[in-house]
Amino acid sequence: MKELTPKKVRTATLLQFKQDGRKIACLTSYDAMTAGIFDRGGIDVVLVGDSAADNVLGYTSTLPITVDEMIPFGRAVAGACERALVVVDLPFGSYETGTDDALKNAIRIMKETGASAVKIEGGERSAEQIAALVQAGIPVMGHIGFTPQSVHALGGFKIQGRGEGAEQLLADALAVQNAGAFAVVLELVPAAVASSVSSELSIPTIGIGAGGGCDGQILVWTDFAGLHSGKPRKFVKQYANLAEVLGSAVETYVEDVQGGNFPLPEHEFEG
Ligand code: KIV
């Protein structure tokens, strides 16, 4: 296994990476096993995304997941990562009502998971909450462009920041940066717009469906590993086809059990 530098990724490391032009590689994870693999493989930031809602809990969007449900995922991932910076999403309903709720829920997440930072969706509209958390000593990653918690308000999974929307996107990015966030996710944004926002900002941008001009990239791990059926979305590169691997392993196992080929004597205990 190759030597990874630095030994521990901190928020300041990400800023240094941006200044050095070293791209930041991020993945989501919701469990100890995959988090450990991603950490040892050199992933810089592991995000315990509220995408656990659809990827683990079977909800149809990220809206229903709660802080109580996020905490065990956060604890499992933070416990498994030695090098990567672990960030946990503040779920829908845990911060929009104001700075008191945002503080209460972010403090709970930091205390009960052992993560190093939280992520909040929204630009200008969430700036006050971001500033309050940063003031309290909690590192915050922003998230603008397409924000999945606002899927209904945005009218579905739509590219953000096109045409006149580019101006609002930059205003959101600057609001997040000025509020003290250490990085910002840009989701579903035209590549040229994301690239220009990335050069305007001093903090790193982490793109998902936002092109190669961002300072880093993030993928939802189940997309990256090909665990979903059907064609991946345009911005996803599938690095493995785990659905196929697992599907065929299951078929072989069923055949073995039914045909008396598992367990064999080497799997049995004596005496
Ligand atoms: O919850 C999540 O997985 C995310 C990524 C899409 C960035 O927020």
Side-chain angles (χ1 to χ4, degrees):
M1 189 158 292
K2 67 177 181 210
E3 175 94 5
L4 297 170
T5 51
K7 292 239 169 301
K8 179 88 194 134
V9 177
R10 301 187 185 277
T11 56
T13 319
L14 302 182
L15 188 59
Q16 190 62 53
F17 284 167
K18 175 170 175 124
Q19 287 163 1
D20 296 345
R22 188 312 209 151
K23 298 275 185 178
I24 302 163
C26 319
L27 277 177
T28 68
S29 170
Y30 322 106
D31 69 283
M33 218 173 261
T34 58
I37 294 169
F38 302 160
D39 185 55
R40 292 188 292 279
I43 291 296
D44 299 310
V45 176
V46 178
L47 170 70
V48 185
D50 59 354
S51 50
D54 38 319
N55 282 289
V56 185
L57 299 178
Y59 298 137
T60 52
S61 78
T62 60
L63 272 71
I65 199 165
T66 62
V67 172
D68 283 344
E69 288 171 318
M70 287 296 295
I71 283 176
F73 298 134
R75 190 183 298 133
V77 170
C81 289
E82 288 182 8
R83 176 180 175 275
L85 183 87
V86 176
V87 181
V88 178
D89 259 337
L90 276 176
F92 178 62
S94 69
Y95 60 93
E96 297 86 341
T97 42
T99 52
D100 285 356
D101 281 339
L103 271 168
K104 187 181 79 190
N105 289 310
I107 287 171
R108 221 189 125 201
I109 285 174
M110 297 297 284
K111 270 185 180 297
E112 295 181 34
T113 66
S116 299
V118 297
K119 176 163 80 57
I120 293 192
E121 291 188 7
E124 287 181 325
R125 70 180 162 94
S126 299
E128 211 183 319
Q129 284 90 329
I130 295 173
L133 300 195
V134 171
Q135 188 89 40
I138 302 172
V140 180
M141 178 180 269
H143 183 159
I144 61 171
F146 177 72
T147 43
Q149 294 172 11
S150 322
V151 61
H152 301 302
L154 296 174
F157 288 81
K158 291 192 178 147
I159 312 295
Q160 304 295 310
R162 277 193 168 135
E164 287 173 8
E167 217 172 291
Q168 182 60 48
L169 192 87
L170 180 59
D172 282 332
L174 289 171
V176 164
Q177 172 170 284
N178 294 340
F182 67 88
V184 61
V185 169
L186 304 183
E187 181 164 355
L188 298 189
V189 171
V193 176
S195 194
S196 126
V197 167
S198 303
S199 2
E200 291 278 340
L201 294 191
S202 56
I203 59 170
T205 57
I206 309 294
I208 175 162
C214 296
D215 303 301
Q217 297 295 324
I218 186 159
L219 283 174
V220 171
W221 94 263
T222 49
D223 291 337
F224 142 93
L227 269 169
H228 296 284
S229 51
K231 196 168 173 268
R233 284 171 294 173
K234 180 178 165 66
F235 63 87
V236 171
K237 179 171 175 188
Q238 206 174 283
Y239 286 82
N241 194 336
L242 290 196
E244 211 169 276
V245 171
L246 282 176
S248 109
V250 168
E251 283 175 18
T252 309
Y253 172 65
V254 169
E255 278 167 23
D256 278 0
V257 170
Q258 291 174 349
N261 293 316
F262 179 80
L264 294 173
E266 69 251 37
H267 304 118
E268 294 174 352
F269 297 106
E270 286 170 16

